[in-house]
Amino acid sequence: MTDRGMVFCHEGGGGPPILLLHGFPETSLMWHGIAPLLAGDFTVVAADLPGYGRSDCPVDSENHEAMSKRALASILVEAMKALGHETFAIIGHDRGGRVAYRAALDHPDRVTAVAVLDVIPTYEVWERADARLALAFWPFSLLAQPAPLPERLLLAAPEAFIDNALSEWGSPPEAFPSWLREAYVTALSDSAHVHAICEEYRAASGIDREIDRADLETGRRIRCPLLALWSDKGGLAAWYDDAGGPLGLWRHWAEDVRGHAVSGGHFFPEVQPNATAGAISAFLRSGRSTSP
């Protein structure tokens, strides 16, 4: 429990704490194959993002600030403190990756390491947006539209949205067992949470971009080590060669960046749990180096 509502999480294992954050349209259940692999060496906390899954929905605020990555990061830092973890590493996929790097920027004394899975900074996404983004990653623009249009669309056919994501974003549908798909559909069927999710996308298109821009213009950078992993089949692998790819982009934002592509489509953590867990574990054990 935090001052801004309850954060639902699973906790297990033993050792240095790590916080696992999911993306859209998933919940903390996305880590079901990875968390047990990490729990032998780390205390693993897999949380539903505020406004997602079984976590409480923040109260609406002006400019969608309540679902900004800054606000979500602050809530999760408070939740980790309530669990007894003053410092910890964060691993985030998709939307969770955006919350993860914001936490590393805003709470450098709390975040010891950060891994961002299949994302680049939100500011960079919008500055470089083109037809490829609009067609391939439709949630960025569709879910950021004013209420209530995207909410009504999601609630009218949650199964269709889940099926599209799990089968059309580069990952094989068979990687998602029926119980998991059903859990994701259920999570996308609640009106309050669907509204919060859309508010999070609206925040990404506005206030998050401005917060990122301010950091970039003032030279504020992530001080802890950063691992970037991305799908070898997706847009991140092909769209940003002019900037040196995902690693080139992240080096504008962080002092110590390393990473590589992973097979398995956008949801590679679920398709390749062993490889993903191995990369995360090796990164967290590697200390502060400057490997390319």
Side-chain angles (χ1 to χ4, degrees):
M1 181 63 70
T2 74
D3 290 341
R4 286 163 289 182
M6 184 271 293
V7 174
F8 177 83
C9 63
H10 309 267
E11 183 175 19
I18 57 176
L19 173 62
L20 305 180
L21 301 177
H22 64 90
F24 175 85
E26 300 181 301
T27 70
S28 56
L29 291 174
M30 71 158 284
W31 302 105
H32 70 97
I34 290 178
L37 301 175
L38 296 175
D41 299 307
F42 303 96
T43 298
V44 178
V45 179
D48 286 349
L49 291 169
Y52 281 76
R54 296 170 66 180
S55 289
D56 286 347
C57 299
V59 178
D60 281 0
S61 60
E62 186 176 358
N63 297 326
H64 320 294
E65 187 276 336
M67 286 300 291
S68 70
K69 308 308 168 293
R70 171 162 285 167
L72 300 189
S74 178
I75 292 171
L76 288 162
V77 166
E78 184 183 348
M80 288 295 280
K81 183 177 181 179
L83 291 172
H85 307 307
E86 293 286 345
T87 62
F88 51 92
I90 305 185
I91 316 300
H93 175 255
D94 189 80
R95 315 309 290 179
R98 305 187 185 287
V99 178
Y101 84 79
R102 175 47 53 192
L105 280 164
D106 287 356
H107 304 275
D109 57 332
R110 306 292 297 278
V111 178
T112 59
V114 59
V116 288
L117 279 51
D118 220 37
V119 295
I120 60 171
T122 303
Y123 175 82
E124 303 285 2
V125 170
W126 286 109
E127 286 298 297
R128 298 168 180 275
D130 57 17
R132 297 175 299 185
L133 178 79
L135 293 172
F137 294 123
W138 49 262
F140 272 95
S141 53
L142 175 60
L143 301 188
Q145 296 302 308
L149 176 62
E151 285 92 337
R152 293 178 66 181
L153 293 173
L154 281 172
L155 289 168
E159 300 91 345
F161 282 90
I162 295 298
D163 286 346
N164 178 272
L166 301 189
S167 63
E168 300 296 331
W169 293 2
S171 301
E174 58 268 22
F176 307 92
S178 59
W179 67 265
L180 186 60
R181 177 190 175 278
E182 291 168 7
Y184 291 160
V185 170
T186 298
L188 208 60
S189 301
D190 176 75
S191 60
H193 285 84
V194 165
H195 174 66
I197 290 168
C198 293
E199 285 291 284
E200 188 260 299
Y201 273 89
R202 293 176 188 123
S205 70
I207 188 172
D208 289 340
R209 295 170 67 187
E210 296 309 311
I211 291 172
D212 274 8
R213 183 199 302 273
D215 284 340
L216 192 63
E217 291 178 349
T218 59
R220 188 166 176 243
R221 288 156 63 83
I222 295 169
R223 299 205 305 261
C224 67
L226 182 144
L227 173 71
L229 302 176
W230 62 93
S231 168
D232 64 354
K233 298 187 179 84
L236 271 67
W239 296 350
Y240 304 111
D241 288 346
D242 64 322
L247 294 183
L249 288 170
W250 278 112
R251 285 180 177 131
H252 292 295
W253 296 81
E255 297 174 359
D256 179 358
V257 177
R258 64 202 81 164
H260 55 84
V262 178
S263 64
H266 178 61
F267 299 107
F268 63 80
E270 286 169 288
V271 178
Q272 300 278 5
N274 289 304
T276 306
I280 291 169
S281 181
F283 164 66
L284 294 176
R285 291 176 173 281
S286 65
R288 192 173 181 85
S289 70
T290 55
S291 59

